[in-house]
Amino acid sequence: MMHNKGLNLTLKIWRQKNRKSKGRFEVYKVSDISKDASFLEMLDILNEQLINENQEPIAFDHDCREGICGMCSLYINGRAHGPDTGITTCQLHMRMFNDGDTIVIEPWRSIAFPVIKDLITDRSAFDRIMAAGGFISVNTSGNTLDANAILVPKENADKAMDAAACISCGACVACCPNGAAMLFVGAKVSHFALLPQGRVEARRRVLNMVQAMDDEGFGNCSVIGACEVECPKGISLDNIARMNREYISAWISKE
C-alpha cells in the first residue's frame, strides 16, 4: 500500500507568558503530518516534540473537539478558525494546507479578550454579557407549564433554534475590524426574543446585555459582515437587525 506523503510545515506561533508580558512570534518546524490529522492533533504532535526537547509546550485551549464548545478558537493565516467555512478549529483538517506551507497561528485579538497564555484568551466577557440578561423567568413551583403546550409559530421556532446554535466562541469578535460582539449578543437576544418564554424580560434583557457589551469594551457594528462569514454555526446578520429593533423598542418604551 502506497504511503501518502505527510506535510512538512513551518509554524509561526504567538507565544506570550501572560496578559502583562509582551508577546512574540516563534518559528517551529513539523514534518510528516498526516493530511487526515486535525489541526489540534498537529499542535499535539508539535507539543510532544517540544516536551521531548525540554522546551515549554504551546498553551492552547480545547475541550470537546467536536465543534460544540468553541474553546479551540484560533486565528489561523488571518482567518478565525482557519481556511475553511462552517467549522471550528478542532474540525479543521490538515488537508486544507499544502506541503511546505507556513502557517501563522495567533490567539483572538480583542481588547475584551485578553491573552491568558500563548494562544489562550480570556473570553469571560461573554459570560458576563450572558449573566446580564441571557436567562428567562420560569415558574418552578411544581405547576410549570409544559413548554410543548405553548404554541410557537414554526418560523419563529426555527429562527430561535438557528440563533441558539451560537457556541460563544468569539470568532465574530476576532474577525471584526471593530472588535464588535454584535453577532454574539444579537444571537442571544434573538434566541429569547422569538419565543413567548423570552418575552417576559425582553425589554430589560436587551438593554442590560447591550450595556454589558459596551462596558466590556467591544466595538460597534458597521455591518461589514465578516462575522457571519467566519461564524462556525453560520449565525445570520438578521440577528443583529432583530437586536437593534428590540433595543430601540425597549429604549423608547422604558420608564
Side-chain angles (χ1 to χ4, degrees), residues 17-81:
K17 195 172 179 184
N18 53 49
R19 69 179 64 188
K20 290 180 180 171
S21 303
K22 193 175 178 184
R24 70 200 178 283
F25 280 107
E26 296 271 346
V27 178
Y28 303 94
K29 301 271 189 186
V30 287
S31 56
D32 202 25
I33 300 294
S34 167
K35 289 189 175 184
D36 294 327
S38 75
F39 198 84
L40 295 191
E41 285 169 339
M42 181 273 294
L43 289 178
D44 290 335
I45 291 165
L46 172 62
N47 274 345
E48 279 185 37
Q49 216 171 279
L50 293 175
I51 290 163
N52 289 337
E53 294 165 4
N54 291 320
Q55 293 185 54
E56 189 171 0
I58 288 131
F60 65 95
D61 219 342
H62 60 89
D63 190 1
C64 71
R65 298 202 181 199
E66 293 178 340
I68 296 166
C69 72
M71 289 172 69
C72 60
S73 308
L74 296 174
Y75 210 67
I76 302 160
N77 284 352
R79 285 190 64 180
H81 294 298

Side-chain angles (χ1 to χ4, degrees), residues 2-246:
M2 210 171 92
H3 173 65
N4 279 335
K5 188 174 175 292
L7 301 172
N8 297 317
L9 303 162
T10 301
L11 308 174
K12 269 183 85 173
I13 300 178
W14 186 259
R15 304 299 309 258
Q16 188 171 334
K17 195 172 179 184
N18 53 49
R19 69 179 64 188
K20 290 180 180 171
S21 303
K22 193 175 178 184
R24 70 200 178 283
F25 280 107
E26 296 271 346
V27 178
Y28 303 94
K29 301 271 189 186
V30 287
S31 56
D32 202 25
I33 300 294
S34 167
K35 289 189 175 184
D36 294 327
S38 75
F39 198 84
L40 295 191
E41 285 169 339
M42 181 273 294
L43 289 178
D44 290 335
I45 291 165
L46 172 62
N47 274 345
E48 279 185 37
Q49 216 171 279
L50 293 175
I51 290 163
N52 289 337
E53 294 165 4
N54 291 320
Q55 293 185 54
E56 189 171 0
I58 288 131
F60 65 95
D61 219 342
H62 60 89
D63 190 1
C64 71
R65 298 202 181 199
E66 293 178 340
I68 296 166
C69 72
M71 289 172 69
C72 60
S73 308
L74 296 174
Y75 210 67
I76 302 160
N77 284 352
R79 285 190 64 180
H81 294 298
D84 204 349
T85 52
I87 53 104
T88 50
T89 298
C90 63
Q91 296 171 300
L92 179 66
H93 283 83
M94 297 312 296
R95 54 182 166 268
M96 297 297 295
F97 301 93
N98 299 310
D99 189 40
D101 276 0
T102 295
I103 305 174
V104 180
I105 310 167
E106 304 170 76
W108 279 175
R109 301 285 193 189
S110 172
I111 290 168
F113 291 160
V115 170
I116 295 172
K117 185 174 183 179
D118 294 345
L119 302 174
I120 303 174
T121 53
D122 178 356
R123 289 171 297 159
S124 58
F126 272 10
D127 297 329
R128 290 187 288 275
I129 293 170
M130 284 294 289
F135 54 86
I136 59 169
S137 294
V138 290
N139 182 353
T140 55
S141 64
N143 299 317
T144 49
L145 184 64
D146 183 6
N148 294 334
I150 303 169
L151 295 176
V152 181
K154 184 179 187 307
E155 191 183 353
N156 287 7
D158 288 348
K159 286 177 180 172
M161 285 299 287
D162 288 345
C166 169
I167 57 171
S168 310
C169 69
C172 49
V173 176
C175 69
C176 176
N178 307 329
M182 296 280 274
L183 195 68
F184 163 75
V185 181
K188 298 305 176 186
V189 167
S190 289
H191 170 199
F192 293 122
L194 286 157
L195 299 174
Q197 296 93 331
R199 293 314 305 174
V200 182
E201 282 105 352
R203 289 176 185 172
R204 190 178 56 168
R205 175 185 301 110
V206 71
L207 293 172
N208 288 353
M209 288 181 83
V210 169
Q211 185 62 57
M213 174 181 72
D214 291 343
D215 290 346
E216 292 293 342
F218 291 105
N220 216 324
C221 174
S222 50
V223 202
I224 289 160
C227 53
E228 182 182 79
V229 173
E230 298 292 14
C231 174
K233 300 302 174 184
I235 305 292
S236 169
L237 287 175
D238 292 349
N239 292 296
I240 296 178
R242 186 175 296 105
M243 178 182 70
N244 286 338
R245 290 195 298 272
E246 288 282 322

